[in-house]
mmCIF file with all atom_site columns, all heavy atoms in Angstrom:
data_model
loop_
_atom_site.group_PDB
_atom_site.id
_atom_site.type_symbol
_atom_site.label_atom_id
_atom_site.label_alt_id
_atom_site.label_comp_id
_atom_site.label_asym_id
_atom_site.label_entity_id
_atom_site.label_seq_id
_atom_site.pdbx_PDB_ins_code
_atom_site.Cartn_x
_atom_site.Cartn_y
_atom_site.Cartn_z
_atom_site.occupancy
_atom_site.B_iso_or_equiv
_atom_site.pdbx_formal_charge
_atom_site.auth_seq_id
_atom_site.auth_comp_id
_atom_site.auth_asym_id
_atom_site.auth_atom_id
_atom_site.pdbx_PDB_model_num
ATOM 1   N N   . ASP R 1 28  ? 2.046  27.224 -31.389 1.00 0.00 ? 56  ASP R N   1
ATOM 2   C CA  . ASP R 1 28  ? 1.054  26.668 -32.378 1.00 0.00 ? 56  ASP R CA  1
ATOM 3   C C   . ASP R 1 28  ? 1.335  27.231 -33.783 1.00 0.00 ? 56  ASP R C   1
ATOM 4   O O   . ASP R 1 28  ? 1.483  28.445 -33.943 1.00 0.00 ? 56  ASP R O   1
ATOM 5   C CB  . ASP R 1 28  ? -0.366 27.151 -31.950 1.00 0.00 ? 56  ASP R CB  1
ATOM 6   C CG  . ASP R 1 28  ? -0.842 26.594 -30.637 1.00 0.00 ? 56  ASP R CG  1
ATOM 7   O OD1 . ASP R 1 28  ? -0.869 25.340 -30.486 1.00 0.00 ? 56  ASP R OD1 1
ATOM 8   O OD2 . ASP R 1 28  ? -1.242 27.347 -29.802 1.00 0.00 ? 56  ASP R OD2 1
ATOM 9   N N   . TRP R 1 29  ? 1.371  26.331 -34.722 1.00 0.00 ? 57  TRP R N   1
ATOM 10  C CA  . TRP R 1 29  ? 1.440  26.748 -36.128 1.00 0.00 ? 57  TRP R CA  1
ATOM 11  C C   . TRP R 1 29  ? 0.063  27.151 -36.566 1.00 0.00 ? 57  TRP R C   1
ATOM 12  O O   . TRP R 1 29  ? -0.898 26.420 -36.401 1.00 0.00 ? 57  TRP R O   1
ATOM 13  C CB  . TRP R 1 29  ? 1.975  25.639 -36.990 1.00 0.00 ? 57  TRP R CB  1
ATOM 14  C CG  . TRP R 1 29  ? 3.510  25.629 -37.197 1.00 0.00 ? 57  TRP R CG  1
ATOM 15  C CD1 . TRP R 1 29  ? 4.352  24.678 -36.672 1.00 0.00 ? 57  TRP R CD1 1
ATOM 16  C CD2 . TRP R 1 29  ? 4.292  26.587 -37.909 1.00 0.00 ? 57  TRP R CD2 1
ATOM 17  N NE1 . TRP R 1 29  ? 5.647  25.076 -37.026 1.00 0.00 ? 57  TRP R NE1 1
ATOM 18  C CE2 . TRP R 1 29  ? 5.653  26.189 -37.738 1.00 0.00 ? 57  TRP R CE2 1
ATOM 19  C CE3 . TRP R 1 29  ? 3.953  27.769 -38.618 1.00 0.00 ? 57  TRP R CE3 1
ATOM 20  C CZ2 . TRP R 1 29  ? 6.656  26.901 -38.336 1.00 0.00 ? 57  TRP R CZ2 1
ATOM 21  C CZ3 . TRP R 1 29  ? 5.022  28.431 -39.116 1.00 0.00 ? 57  TRP R CZ3 1
ATOM 22  C CH2 . TRP R 1 29  ? 6.339  28.018 -39.000 1.00 0.00 ? 57  TRP R CH2 1
ATOM 23  N N   . VAL R 1 30  ? -0.008 28.336 -37.176 1.00 0.00 ? 58  VAL R N   1
ATOM 24  C CA  . VAL R 1 30  ? -1.269 28.758 -37.850 1.00 0.00 ? 58  VAL R CA  1
ATOM 25  C C   . VAL R 1 30  ? -0.873 29.074 -39.267 1.00 0.00 ? 58  VAL R C   1
ATOM 26  O O   . VAL R 1 30  ? -0.028 29.981 -39.498 1.00 0.00 ? 58  VAL R O   1
ATOM 27  C CB  . VAL R 1 30  ? -1.815 29.985 -37.133 1.00 0.00 ? 58  VAL R CB  1
ATOM 28  C CG1 . VAL R 1 30  ? -3.183 30.405 -37.797 1.00 0.00 ? 58  VAL R CG1 1
ATOM 29  C CG2 . VAL R 1 30  ? -2.089 29.622 -35.644 1.00 0.00 ? 58  VAL R CG2 1
ATOM 30  N N   . ASP R 1 31  ? -1.512 28.428 -40.239 1.00 0.00 ? 59  ASP R N   1
ATOM 31  C CA  . ASP R 1 31  ? -1.193 28.647 -41.685 1.00 0.00 ? 59  ASP R CA  1
ATOM 32  C C   . ASP R 1 31  ? -2.448 29.137 -42.376 1.00 0.00 ? 59  ASP R C   1
ATOM 33  O O   . ASP R 1 31  ? -3.588 28.815 -42.084 1.00 0.00 ? 59  ASP R O   1
ATOM 34  C CB  . ASP R 1 31  ? -0.711 27.403 -42.330 1.00 0.00 ? 59  ASP R CB  1
ATOM 35  C CG  . ASP R 1 31  ? 0.663  26.981 -41.846 1.00 0.00 ? 59  ASP R CG  1
ATOM 36  O OD1 . ASP R 1 31  ? 1.643  27.602 -42.316 1.00 0.00 ? 59  ASP R OD1 1
ATOM 37  O OD2 . ASP R 1 31  ? 0.743  26.047 -41.021 1.00 0.00 ? 59  ASP R OD2 1
ATOM 38  N N   . TRP R 1 32  ? -2.211 30.012 -43.363 1.00 0.00 ? 60  TRP R N   1
ATOM 39  C CA  . TRP R 1 32  ? -3.284 30.561 -44.172 1.00 0.00 ? 60  TRP R CA  1
ATOM 40  C C   . TRP R 1 32  ? -3.001 30.336 -45.643 1.00 0.00 ? 60  TRP R C   1
ATOM 41  O O   . TRP R 1 32  ? -1.896 30.694 -46.126 1.00 0.00 ? 60  TRP R O   1
ATOM 42  C CB  . TRP R 1 32  ? -3.453 32.065 -43.881 1.00 0.00 ? 60  TRP R CB  1
ATOM 43  C CG  . TRP R 1 32  ? -3.716 32.416 -42.445 1.00 0.00 ? 60  TRP R CG  1
ATOM 44  C CD1 . TRP R 1 32  ? -4.907 32.217 -41.815 1.00 0.00 ? 60  TRP R CD1 1
ATOM 45  C CD2 . TRP R 1 32  ? -2.813 32.951 -41.489 1.00 0.00 ? 60  TRP R CD2 1
ATOM 46  N NE1 . TRP R 1 32  ? -4.754 32.673 -40.534 1.00 0.00 ? 60  TRP R NE1 1
ATOM 47  C CE2 . TRP R 1 32  ? -3.532 33.103 -40.310 1.00 0.00 ? 60  TRP R CE2 1
ATOM 48  C CE3 . TRP R 1 32  ? -1.459 33.388 -41.585 1.00 0.00 ? 60  TRP R CE3 1
ATOM 49  C CZ2 . TRP R 1 32  ? -2.943 33.681 -39.119 1.00 0.00 ? 60  TRP R CZ2 1
ATOM 50  C CZ3 . TRP R 1 32  ? -0.890 33.901 -40.395 1.00 0.00 ? 60  TRP R CZ3 1
ATOM 51  C CH2 . TRP R 1 32  ? -1.615 33.995 -39.246 1.00 0.00 ? 60  TRP R CH2 1
ATOM 52  N N   . ASN R 1 33  ? -3.996 29.795 -46.307 1.00 0.00 ? 61  ASN R N   1
ATOM 53  C CA  . ASN R 1 33  ? -3.897 29.622 -47.742 1.00 0.00 ? 61  ASN R CA  1
ATOM 54  C C   . ASN R 1 33  ? -4.361 30.896 -48.438 1.00 0.00 ? 61  ASN R C   1
ATOM 55  O O   . ASN R 1 33  ? -5.390 31.428 -48.146 1.00 0.00 ? 61  ASN R O   1
ATOM 56  C CB  . ASN R 1 33  ? -4.785 28.475 -48.263 1.00 0.00 ? 61  ASN R CB  1
ATOM 57  C CG  . ASN R 1 33  ? -4.293 27.131 -47.705 1.00 0.00 ? 61  ASN R CG  1
ATOM 58  O OD1 . ASN R 1 33  ? -3.078 26.848 -47.804 1.00 0.00 ? 61  ASN R OD1 1
ATOM 59  N ND2 . ASN R 1 33  ? -5.129 26.254 -47.335 1.00 0.00 ? 61  ASN R ND2 1
ATOM 60  N N   . VAL R 1 34  ? -3.501 31.366 -49.384 1.00 0.00 ? 62  VAL R N   1
ATOM 61  C CA  . VAL R 1 34  ? -3.851 32.623 -50.055 1.00 0.00 ? 62  VAL R CA  1
ATOM 62  C C   . VAL R 1 34  ? -4.118 32.420 -51.573 1.00 0.00 ? 62  VAL R C   1
ATOM 63  O O   . VAL R 1 34  ? -5.128 32.804 -52.063 1.00 0.00 ? 62  VAL R O   1
ATOM 64  C CB  . VAL R 1 34  ? -2.617 33.642 -49.859 1.00 0.00 ? 62  VAL R CB  1
ATOM 65  C CG1 . VAL R 1 34  ? -2.959 35.006 -50.531 1.00 0.00 ? 62  VAL R CG1 1
ATOM 66  C CG2 . VAL R 1 34  ? -2.309 33.865 -48.423 1.00 0.00 ? 62  VAL R CG2 1
ATOM 67  N N   . ASP R 1 48  ? -1.527 40.674 -47.440 1.00 0.00 ? 76  ASP R N   1
ATOM 68  C CA  . ASP R 1 48  ? -2.471 39.712 -46.901 1.00 0.00 ? 76  ASP R CA  1
ATOM 69  C C   . ASP R 1 48  ? -2.421 39.881 -45.373 1.00 0.00 ? 76  ASP R C   1
ATOM 70  O O   . ASP R 1 48  ? -1.419 39.688 -44.733 1.00 0.00 ? 76  ASP R O   1
ATOM 71  C CB  . ASP R 1 48  ? -2.057 38.265 -47.268 1.00 0.00 ? 76  ASP R CB  1
ATOM 72  C CG  . ASP R 1 48  ? -3.138 37.321 -46.868 1.00 0.00 ? 76  ASP R CG  1
ATOM 73  O OD1 . ASP R 1 48  ? -4.194 37.268 -47.498 1.00 0.00 ? 76  ASP R OD1 1
ATOM 74  O OD2 . ASP R 1 48  ? -2.890 36.509 -45.896 1.00 0.00 ? 76  ASP R OD2 1
ATOM 75  N N   . ARG R 1 50  ? -4.037 38.882 -41.580 1.00 0.00 ? 78  ARG R N   1
ATOM 76  C CA  . ARG R 1 50  ? -4.714 37.878 -40.789 1.00 0.00 ? 78  ARG R CA  1
ATOM 77  C C   . ARG R 1 50  ? -4.764 38.289 -39.350 1.00 0.00 ? 78  ARG R C   1
ATOM 78  O O   . ARG R 1 50  ? -4.009 39.126 -38.867 1.00 0.00 ? 78  ARG R O   1
ATOM 79  C CB  . ARG R 1 50  ? -4.000 36.579 -40.965 1.00 0.00 ? 78  ARG R CB  1
ATOM 80  C CG  . ARG R 1 50  ? -3.838 36.083 -42.451 1.00 0.00 ? 78  ARG R CG  1
ATOM 81  C CD  . ARG R 1 50  ? -5.189 35.648 -43.017 1.00 0.00 ? 78  ARG R CD  1
ATOM 82  N NE  . ARG R 1 50  ? -5.003 35.379 -44.436 1.00 0.00 ? 78  ARG R NE  1
ATOM 83  C CZ  . ARG R 1 50  ? -5.916 34.661 -45.141 1.00 0.00 ? 78  ARG R CZ  1
ATOM 84  N NH1 . ARG R 1 50  ? -6.976 34.144 -44.540 1.00 0.00 ? 78  ARG R NH1 1
ATOM 85  N NH2 . ARG R 1 50  ? -5.682 34.433 -46.451 1.00 0.00 ? 78  ARG R NH2 1
ATOM 86  N N   . LEU R 1 52  ? -4.785 37.010 -35.227 1.00 0.00 ? 80  LEU R N   1
ATOM 87  C CA  . LEU R 1 52  ? -4.589 35.966 -34.238 1.00 0.00 ? 80  LEU R CA  1
ATOM 88  C C   . LEU R 1 52  ? -5.268 36.432 -32.930 1.00 0.00 ? 80  LEU R C   1
ATOM 89  O O   . LEU R 1 52  ? -5.346 37.620 -32.673 1.00 0.00 ? 80  LEU R O   1
ATOM 90  C CB  . LEU R 1 52  ? -3.100 35.842 -34.020 1.00 0.00 ? 80  LEU R CB  1
ATOM 91  C CG  . LEU R 1 52  ? -2.201 35.145 -34.987 1.00 0.00 ? 80  LEU R CG  1
ATOM 92  C CD1 . LEU R 1 52  ? -0.781 34.998 -34.459 1.00 0.00 ? 80  LEU R CD1 1
ATOM 93  C CD2 . LEU R 1 52  ? -2.761 33.752 -35.415 1.00 0.00 ? 80  LEU R CD2 1
ATOM 94  N N   . GLU R 1 63  ? 8.388  31.694 -35.478 1.00 0.00 ? 91  GLU R N   1
ATOM 95  C CA  . GLU R 1 63  ? 8.793  31.176 -36.725 1.00 0.00 ? 91  GLU R CA  1
ATOM 96  C C   . GLU R 1 63  ? 7.802  31.592 -37.751 1.00 0.00 ? 91  GLU R C   1
ATOM 97  O O   . GLU R 1 63  ? 6.619  31.743 -37.405 1.00 0.00 ? 91  GLU R O   1
ATOM 98  C CB  . GLU R 1 63  ? 8.922  29.625 -36.724 1.00 0.00 ? 91  GLU R CB  1
ATOM 99  C CG  . GLU R 1 63  ? 10.003 29.124 -35.743 1.00 0.00 ? 91  GLU R CG  1
ATOM 100 C CD  . GLU R 1 63  ? 9.941  27.582 -35.787 1.00 0.00 ? 91  GLU R CD  1
ATOM 101 O OE1 . GLU R 1 63  ? 8.946  26.979 -35.518 1.00 0.00 ? 91  GLU R OE1 1
ATOM 102 O OE2 . GLU R 1 63  ? 11.048 26.979 -36.041 1.00 0.00 ? 91  GLU R OE2 1
ATOM 103 N N   . VAL R 1 64  ? 8.189  31.771 -38.969 1.00 0.00 ? 92  VAL R N   1
ATOM 104 C CA  . VAL R 1 64  ? 7.299  32.191 -40.074 1.00 0.00 ? 92  VAL R CA  1
ATOM 105 C C   . VAL R 1 64  ? 7.513  31.248 -41.266 1.00 0.00 ? 92  VAL R C   1
ATOM 106 O O   . VAL R 1 64  ? 8.629  30.920 -41.618 1.00 0.00 ? 92  VAL R O   1
ATOM 107 C CB  . VAL R 1 64  ? 7.590  33.646 -40.528 1.00 0.00 ? 92  VAL R CB  1
ATOM 108 C CG1 . VAL R 1 64  ? 6.660  34.046 -41.663 1.00 0.00 ? 92  VAL R CG1 1
ATOM 109 C CG2 . VAL R 1 64  ? 7.518  34.579 -39.361 1.00 0.00 ? 92  VAL R CG2 1
ATOM 110 N N   . ARG R 1 65  ? 6.442  30.800 -41.794 1.00 0.00 ? 93  ARG R N   1
ATOM 111 C CA  . ARG R 1 65  ? 6.467  29.940 -42.977 1.00 0.00 ? 93  ARG R CA  1
ATOM 112 C C   . ARG R 1 65  ? 5.988  30.654 -44.215 1.00 0.00 ? 93  ARG R C   1
ATOM 113 O O   . ARG R 1 65  ? 5.037  31.420 -44.156 1.00 0.00 ? 93  ARG R O   1
ATOM 114 C CB  . ARG R 1 65  ? 5.610  28.632 -42.719 1.00 0.00 ? 93  ARG R CB  1
ATOM 115 C CG  . ARG R 1 65  ? 5.930  27.464 -43.564 1.00 0.00 ? 93  ARG R CG  1
ATOM 116 C CD  . ARG R 1 65  ? 5.726  26.150 -42.809 1.00 0.00 ? 93  ARG R CD  1
ATOM 117 N NE  . ARG R 1 65  ? 4.452  26.014 -42.124 1.00 0.00 ? 93  ARG R NE  1
ATOM 118 C CZ  . ARG R 1 65  ? 4.219  25.031 -41.252 1.00 0.00 ? 93  ARG R CZ  1
ATOM 119 N NH1 . ARG R 1 65  ? 5.115  24.211 -40.904 1.00 0.00 ? 93  ARG R NH1 1
ATOM 120 N NH2 . ARG R 1 65  ? 3.016  24.953 -40.696 1.00 0.00 ? 93  ARG R NH2 1
ATOM 121 N N   . LEU R 1 66  ? 6.675  30.460 -45.388 1.00 0.00 ? 94  LEU R N   1
ATOM 122 C CA  . LEU R 1 66  ? 6.327  31.125 -46.656 1.00 0.00 ? 94  LEU R CA  1
ATOM 123 C C   . LEU R 1 66  ? 6.372  30.069 -47.741 1.00 0.00 ? 94  LEU R C   1
ATOM 124 O O   . LEU R 1 66  ? 7.432  29.454 -47.939 1.00 0.00 ? 94  LEU R O   1
ATOM 125 C CB  . LEU R 1 66  ? 7.300  32.287 -46.871 1.00 0.00 ? 94  LEU R CB  1
ATOM 126 C CG  . LEU R 1 66  ? 7.121  32.985 -48.196 1.00 0.00 ? 94  LEU R CG  1
ATOM 127 C CD1 . LEU R 1 66  ? 5.762  33.806 -48.240 1.00 0.00 ? 94  LEU R CD1 1
ATOM 128 C CD2 . LEU R 1 66  ? 8.294  33.971 -48.432 1.00 0.00 ? 94  LEU R CD2 1
ATOM 129 N N   . VAL R 1 67  ? 5.331  30.088 -48.572 1.00 0.00 ? 95  VAL R N   1
ATOM 130 C CA  . VAL R 1 67  ? 5.308  29.201 -49.714 1.00 0.00 ? 95  VAL R CA  1
ATOM 131 C C   . VAL R 1 67  ? 5.016  30.157 -50.902 1.00 0.00 ? 95  VAL R C   1
ATOM 132 O O   . VAL R 1 67  ? 3.855  30.618 -51.069 1.00 0.00 ? 95  VAL R O   1
ATOM 133 C CB  . VAL R 1 67  ? 4.344  28.070 -49.668 1.00 0.00 ? 95  VAL R CB  1
ATOM 134 C CG1 . VAL R 1 67  ? 4.354  27.248 -50.987 1.00 0.00 ? 95  VAL R CG1 1
ATOM 135 C CG2 . VAL R 1 67  ? 4.641  27.169 -48.472 1.00 0.00 ? 95  VAL R CG2 1
ATOM 136 N N   . VAL R 1 115 ? 9.855  27.768 -47.413 1.00 0.00 ? 143 VAL R N   1
ATOM 137 C CA  . VAL R 1 115 ? 10.893 27.902 -46.332 1.00 0.00 ? 143 VAL R CA  1
ATOM 138 C C   . VAL R 1 115 ? 10.191 28.246 -45.045 1.00 0.00 ? 143 VAL R C   1
ATOM 139 O O   . VAL R 1 115 ? 9.057  28.763 -44.960 1.00 0.00 ? 143 VAL R O   1
ATOM 140 C CB  . VAL R 1 115 ? 11.903 28.955 -46.696 1.00 0.00 ? 143 VAL R CB  1
ATOM 141 C CG1 . VAL R 1 115 ? 12.691 28.538 -47.920 1.00 0.00 ? 143 VAL R CG1 1
ATOM 142 C CG2 . VAL R 1 115 ? 11.262 30.357 -46.915 1.00 0.00 ? 143 VAL R CG2 1
ATOM 143 N N   . THR R 1 116 ? 10.990 28.046 -43.971 1.00 0.00 ? 144 THR R N   1
ATOM 144 C CA  . THR R 1 116 ? 10.637 28.475 -42.632 1.00 0.00 ? 144 THR R CA  1
ATOM 145 C C   . THR R 1 116 ? 11.697 29.442 -42.138 1.00 0.00 ? 144 THR R C   1
ATOM 146 O O   . THR R 1 116 ? 12.882 29.093 -42.194 1.00 0.00 ? 144 THR R O   1
ATOM 147 C CB  . THR R 1 116 ? 10.465 27.277 -41.696 1.00 0.00 ? 144 THR R CB  1
ATOM 148 O OG1 . THR R 1 116 ? 9.457  26.404 -42.114 1.00 0.00 ? 144 THR R OG1 1
ATOM 149 C CG2 . THR R 1 116 ? 10.203 27.768 -40.281 1.00 0.00 ? 144 THR R CG2 1
ATOM 150 N N   . GLU R 1 194 ? 1.255  31.169 -52.365 1.00 0.00 ? 222 GLU R N   1
ATOM 151 C CA  . GLU R 1 194 ? 0.369  30.068 -52.022 1.00 0.00 ? 222 GLU R CA  1
ATOM 152 C C   . GLU R 1 194 ? -0.148 30.112 -50.614 1.00 0.00 ? 222 GLU R C   1
ATOM 153 O O   . GLU R 1 194 ? -1.321 29.949 -50.352 1.00 0.00 ? 222 GLU R O   1
ATOM 154 C CB  . GLU R 1 194 ? 1.036  28.735 -52.325 1.00 0.00 ? 222 GLU R CB  1
ATOM 155 C CG  . GLU R 1 194 ? 1.329  28.515 -53.806 1.00 0.00 ? 222 GLU R CG  1
ATOM 156 C CD  . GLU R 1 194 ? 1.787  27.086 -54.056 1.00 0.00 ? 222 GLU R CD  1
ATOM 157 O OE1 . GLU R 1 194 ? 1.685  26.200 -53.183 1.00 0.00 ? 222 GLU R OE1 1
ATOM 158 O OE2 . GLU R 1 194 ? 2.273  26.812 -55.193 1.00 0.00 ? 222 GLU R OE2 1
ATOM 159 N N   . SER R 1 195 ? 0.758  30.283 -49.676 1.00 0.00 ? 223 SER R N   1
ATOM 160 C CA  . SER R 1 195 ? 0.402  30.248 -48.271 1.00 0.00 ? 223 SER R CA  1
ATOM 161 C C   . SER R 1 195 ? 1.510  30.910 -47.427 1.00 0.00 ? 223 SER R C   1
ATOM 162 O O   . SER R 1 195 ? 2.621  31.028 -47.853 1.00 0.00 ? 223 SER R O   1
ATOM 163 C CB  . SER R 1 195 ? 0.075  28.889 -47.757 1.00 0.00 ? 223 SER R CB  1
ATOM 164 O OG  . SER R 1 195 ? 1.205  28.060 -47.809 1.00 0.00 ? 223 SER R OG  1
ATOM 165 N N   . TRP R 1 196 ? 1.160  31.230 -46.203 1.00 0.00 ? 224 TRP R N   1
ATOM 166 C CA  . TRP R 1 196 ? 2.096  31.634 -45.206 1.00 0.00 ? 224 TRP R CA  1
ATOM 167 C C   . TRP R 1 196 ? 1.510  31.388 -43.800 1.00 0.00 ? 224 TRP R C   1
ATOM 168 O O   . TRP R 1 196 ? 0.342  31.131 -43.646 1.00 0.00 ? 224 TRP R O   1
ATOM 169 C CB  . TRP R 1 196 ? 2.476  33.130 -45.346 1.00 0.00 ? 224 TRP R CB  1
ATOM 170 C CG  . TRP R 1 196 ? 1.381  34.074 -45.066 1.00 0.00 ? 224 TRP R CG  1
ATOM 171 C CD1 . TRP R 1 196 ? 0.355  34.447 -45.794 1.00 0.00 ? 224 TRP R CD1 1
ATOM 172 C CD2 . TRP R 1 196 ? 1.321  34.947 -43.839 1.00 0.00 ? 224 TRP R CD2 1
ATOM 173 N NE1 . TRP R 1 196 ? -0.419 35.442 -45.222 1.00 0.00 ? 224 TRP R NE1 1
ATOM 174 C CE2 . TRP R 1 196 ? 0.151  35.756 -44.012 1.00 0.00 ? 224 TRP R CE2 1
ATOM 175 C CE3 . TRP R 1 196 ? 2.077  35.032 -42.721 1.00 0.00 ? 224 TRP R CE3 1
ATOM 176 C CZ2 . TRP R 1 196 ? -0.254 36.577 -43.004 1.00 0.00 ? 224 TRP R CZ2 1
ATOM 177 C CZ3 . TRP R 1 196 ? 1.682  35.958 -41.730 1.00 0.00 ? 224 TRP R CZ3 1
ATOM 178 C CH2 . TRP R 1 196 ? 0.481  36.709 -41.855 1.00 0.00 ? 224 TRP R CH2 1
ATOM 179 N N   . GLY R 1 197 ? 2.394  31.370 -42.822 1.00 0.00 ? 225 GLY R N   1
ATOM 180 C CA  . GLY R 1 197 ? 1.863  31.050 -41.526 1.00 0.00 ? 225 GLY R CA  1
ATOM 181 C C   . GLY R 1 197 ? 2.926  31.443 -40.463 1.00 0.00 ? 225 GLY R C   1
ATOM 182 O O   . GLY R 1 197 ? 4.069  31.791 -40.759 1.00 0.00 ? 225 GLY R O   1
ATOM 183 N N   . VAL R 1 198 ? 2.453  31.400 -39.175 1.00 0.00 ? 226 VAL R N   1
ATOM 184 C CA  . VAL R 1 198 ? 3.345  31.759 -38.078 1.00 0.00 ? 226 VAL R CA  1
ATOM 185 C C   . VAL R 1 198 ? 3.153  30.675 -36.987 1.00 0.00 ? 226 VAL R C   1
ATOM 186 O O   . VAL R 1 198 ? 2.184  30.047 -36.782 1.00 0.00 ? 226 VAL R O   1
ATOM 187 C CB  . VAL R 1 198 ? 3.030  33.172 -37.465 1.00 0.00 ? 226 VAL R CB  1
ATOM 188 C CG1 . VAL R 1 198 ? 3.263  34.294 -38.460 1.00 0.00 ? 226 VAL R CG1 1
ATOM 189 C CG2 . VAL R 1 198 ? 1.562  33.171 -37.002 1.00 0.00 ? 226 VAL R CG2 1
ATOM 190 N N   . ASN R 1 199 ? 4.315  30.509 -36.278 1.00 0.00 ? 227 ASN R N   1
ATOM 191 C CA  . ASN R 1 199 ? 4.350  29.663 -35.112 1.00 0.00 ? 227 ASN R CA  1
ATOM 192 C C   . ASN R 1 199 ? 4.771  30.489 -33.985 1.00 0.00 ? 227 ASN R C   1
ATOM 193 O O   . ASN R 1 199 ? 5.957  30.797 -33.793 1.00 0.00 ? 227 ASN R O   1
ATOM 194 C CB  . ASN R 1 199 ? 5.298  28.448 -35.325 1.00 0.00 ? 227 ASN R CB  1
ATOM 195 C CG  . ASN R 1 199 ? 5.374  27.553 -34.136 1.00 0.00 ? 227 ASN R CG  1
ATOM 196 O OD1 . ASN R 1 199 ? 4.508  27.485 -33.314 1.00 0.00 ? 227 ASN R OD1 1
ATOM 197 N ND2 . ASN R 1 199 ? 6.376  26.726 -34.058 1.00 0.00 ? 227 ASN R ND2 1
#
Side-chain angles (χ1 to χ4, degrees):
D56 295 302
W57 270 111
V58 180
D59 289 284
W60 299 286
N61 292 320
V62 182
D76 189 70
R78 305 289 175 161
L80 289 182
E91 295 178 305
V92 181
R93 202 145 51 192
L94 175 68
V95 181
V143 297
T144 299
E222 293 191 12
S223 64
W224 68 283
V226 294
N227 181 19

